[in-house]
Amino acid sequence: MELRFIANDFPRLLNISNTGNHLKAALEDIVTNYGPQDEYPIEVLRGVWSGPTGIAYLFLHVSVEHPKLLIAGQTCLSWAKEYIRGNRHHSELKSKGCGIFDERLAFEAVRASVSKDLSHVRNFVSHTSRFLSDEYPEEMLHGRAGTLYLLRMIRHWVPNSAPLVERSIVMVTNKIMEKGPNWTWHGVRYLGSVHGDIGIITQLVITTPPLAPRLEEQLGRLLDQQFPSGNWPSAEGRTNGELVQFCHGAPGFITSLLSLRPFFPSLQDKIDECIKKGRELIWKEGLLRKEPSICHGVLGNALWVTTLPCTYWPHSSLLTL
């Protein structure tokens, strides 16, 4: 049986030079081969997960980190505005939930973040009360943890929006806590960063830090479920730890733990131990044979094995991505 990964015999210290040039080349490749359009087909609209809304969000981030960078003669903020402009045919879109994969919700959040327009913030929060229904899950991709992420995104990028979003944050947070701690997705107790406990806890605590003491015992149980290999099971009760990828396994756990660490002082030694073991595993089994995506591929694993605290779950983003 073919292994999921390619054996890694690279030296531990890799010297990657000219990172700015690589970034510029990658962004110019995006605008050349997947440029902004006046309208987009429904099949490419996947929130901030992929598609034009996610690209707009990418350019928004780069515009802050590299304000003088020009891509094909335009600033990155200009490109963010271009990618958020095209018609999404929202009236024809079916909801994919209330998480970061839902195009209508993600579009409203990114549009507000790019424009800083409080009317767009009000439009976003006007939707949030309907996500309190039990039909919605708690996870990140399709559920309420994703709603929290988008609310936190707006709160960061539109600083004077806090009074508008706080009520929605409280309502969504209370619903997630009410449904826990045995959160499920499609009837399964997932543990990973996208569909499971560690992702939900991360969004709860980073959005509302005073919740940390109420979630400490649950986080401790998750730390205890790390395998000797350094990986975690994808779901409660599973003994197979072969999925070394962001959605299920050590890469997502490490990223979450780096952001959670400051809020759990009594668990910091245990968190550090888990991060060390997880990184060793990713180095050993992280060169995946899958496509080089962030969620299921080597790109995501490369980020998570080297990342510094809060590069993936900062107060401003999920998808620095």
Side-chain angles (χ1 to χ4, degrees):
M1 180 178 175
E2 186 179 56
L3 294 174
R4 291 176 174 269
F5 60 92
I6 301 167
N8 184 359
D9 57 1
F10 289 98
R12 282 301 178 109
L13 294 176
L14 301 177
N15 181 18
I16 302 175
S17 59
N18 299 320
T19 55
N21 290 341
H22 291 307
L23 174 64
K24 183 177 176 67
L27 295 176
E28 288 182 340
D29 182 71
I30 290 174
V31 301
T32 299
N33 295 300
Y34 188 67
Q37 301 175 35
D38 291 332
E39 57 182 353
Y40 295 96
I42 289 175
E43 58 268 19
V44 306
L45 301 175
R46 297 173 180 175
V48 292
W49 201 243
S50 71
T53 300
I55 293 176
Y57 192 31
L58 167 66
F59 274 107
L60 177 61
H61 271 278
V62 177
S63 73
V64 173
E65 297 295 327
H66 303 276
K68 296 182 180 180
L69 179 63
L70 297 180
I71 302 300
Q74 293 185 210
T75 66
C76 291
L77 183 58
S78 295
W79 284 115
K81 293 176 180 178
E82 286 293 314
Y83 277 99
I84 209 65
R85 180 182 56 80
N87 188 349
R88 267 74 168 164
H89 297 283
H90 281 173
S91 62
E92 302 172 30
L93 277 175
K94 293 182 179 179
S95 174
K96 297 180 176 65
C98 61
I100 61 172
F101 196 80
D102 186 79
E103 173 63 30
R104 282 180 292 192
L105 197 61
F107 170 81
E108 295 292 350
V110 175
R111 182 172 66 166
S113 299
V114 170
S115 68
K116 320 299 185 196
D117 188 331
L118 290 179
S119 68
H120 296 323
V121 176
R122 293 187 186 94
N123 193 55
F124 181 93
V125 299
S126 70
H127 300 297
T128 53
S129 61
R130 66 184 174 92
F131 304 141
L132 304 180
S133 164
D134 286 342
E135 68 183 277
Y136 293 98
E138 271 59 58
E139 51 91 75
M140 277 286 298
L141 199 63
H142 304 286
R144 284 182 274 259
T147 307
L148 276 188
Y149 173 79
L150 296 173
L151 286 163
R152 184 162 52 85
M153 175 204 298
I154 294 172
R155 189 174 66 183
H156 171 83
W157 289 104
V158 192
N160 57 342
S161 69
L164 297 175
V165 301
E166 288 303 326
R167 182 173 180 271
S168 293
I169 285 173
V170 170
M171 289 193 304
V172 174
T173 296
N174 287 344
K175 187 64 177 183
I176 295 173
M177 294 293 289
E178 173 193 320
K179 298 289 287 185
N182 297 318
W183 298 298
T184 62
W185 189 60
H186 293 309
V188 178
R189 282 283 328 277
Y190 284 101
L191 303 183
S193 60
V194 173
H195 303 304
D197 286 12
I198 193 65
I200 296 168
I201 290 172
T202 300
Q203 291 308 313
L204 286 168
V205 171
I206 291 182
T207 306
T208 310
L211 286 174
R214 295 172 59 184
L215 294 163
E216 184 168 318
E217 182 179 350
Q218 190 172 356
L219 178 59
R221 288 198 298 269
L222 288 174
L223 298 177
D224 290 339
Q225 292 190 60
Q226 187 179 33
F227 293 127
S229 69
N231 209 12
W232 276 266
S234 60
E236 189 78 38
R238 293 184 181 174
T239 58
N240 186 324
E242 64 179 6
L243 296 178
V244 183
Q245 57 195 42
F246 178 74
C247 278
H248 304 289
F253 263 85
I254 287 174
T255 308
S256 289
L257 292 176
L258 285 167
S259 290
L260 289 172
R261 185 182 186 278
F263 304 104
F264 295 92
S266 66
L267 293 176
Q268 285 179 356
D269 289 345
K270 180 65 174 177
I271 288 172
D272 291 345
E273 178 186 346
C274 289
I275 289 172
K276 181 180 178 181
K277 289 171 62 177
R279 279 177 162 163
E280 290 291 331
L281 172 73
I282 299 170
W283 184 263
K284 179 182 177 182
E285 300 184 15
L287 287 176
L288 301 183
R289 296 181 183 275
K290 292 182 177 182
E291 69 280 358
S293 68
I294 285 180
C295 189
H296 294 122
V298 66
L299 174 59
N301 287 357
L303 291 173
W304 317 142
V305 79
T306 60
T307 190
L308 294 172
C310 296
T311 53
Y312 188 80
W313 302 94
H315 291 270
S316 59
S317 84
L318 154 113
L319 300 162
T320 334
L321 212 123

